[in-house]
Structure formats: structure tokens, C-alpha cells
Amino acid sequence: MALQDHFDEVGPATMLLVGFALFIFPEPATSALGAGLLLLGSAWWFYEWQR
């Protein structure tokens, strides 16, 4: 298994980490943005996983 096989998962994983960081920040606007990024990142990750 080559390292190139895992490059497709860097984007969704980064989006999930940033979304989680914004979600736990105690401000309503950043929490909403973080929740949106978590949803989008998880959908993107699932899409990449199914390919």
C-alpha cells in the first residue's frame, strides 16, 4: 500500500479537525460554522471512502 493511496483523505480529515476545533470554541457563530464543517467533512470522507 503506497503513501499516495492516503492523499485523498487529507482534505476531509483536515476539515473534520478544523470543524471540531471551531465547534468547541465557545462562540455561537464559530460553533455553527464548526458543525457545518463537521457535517461537510464527514460527507466528503464517506464519499472518498466509497470510491
Side-chain angles (χ1 to χ4, degrees), residues 7-34:
F7 280 143
D8 289 341
E9 298 182 16
V10 171
T14 303
M15 189 176 288
L16 287 171
L17 288 174
V18 170
F20 181 72
L22 287 174
F23 184 73
I24 62 171
F25 195 80
E27 188 71 31
T30 58
S31 294
L33 180 63

Side-chain angles (χ1 to χ4, degrees), residues 30-47:
T30 58
S31 294
L33 180 63
L37 286 176
L38 282 172
L39 288 173
L40 184 62
S42 61
W44 186 12
W45 194 11
F46 184 73
Y47 171 76

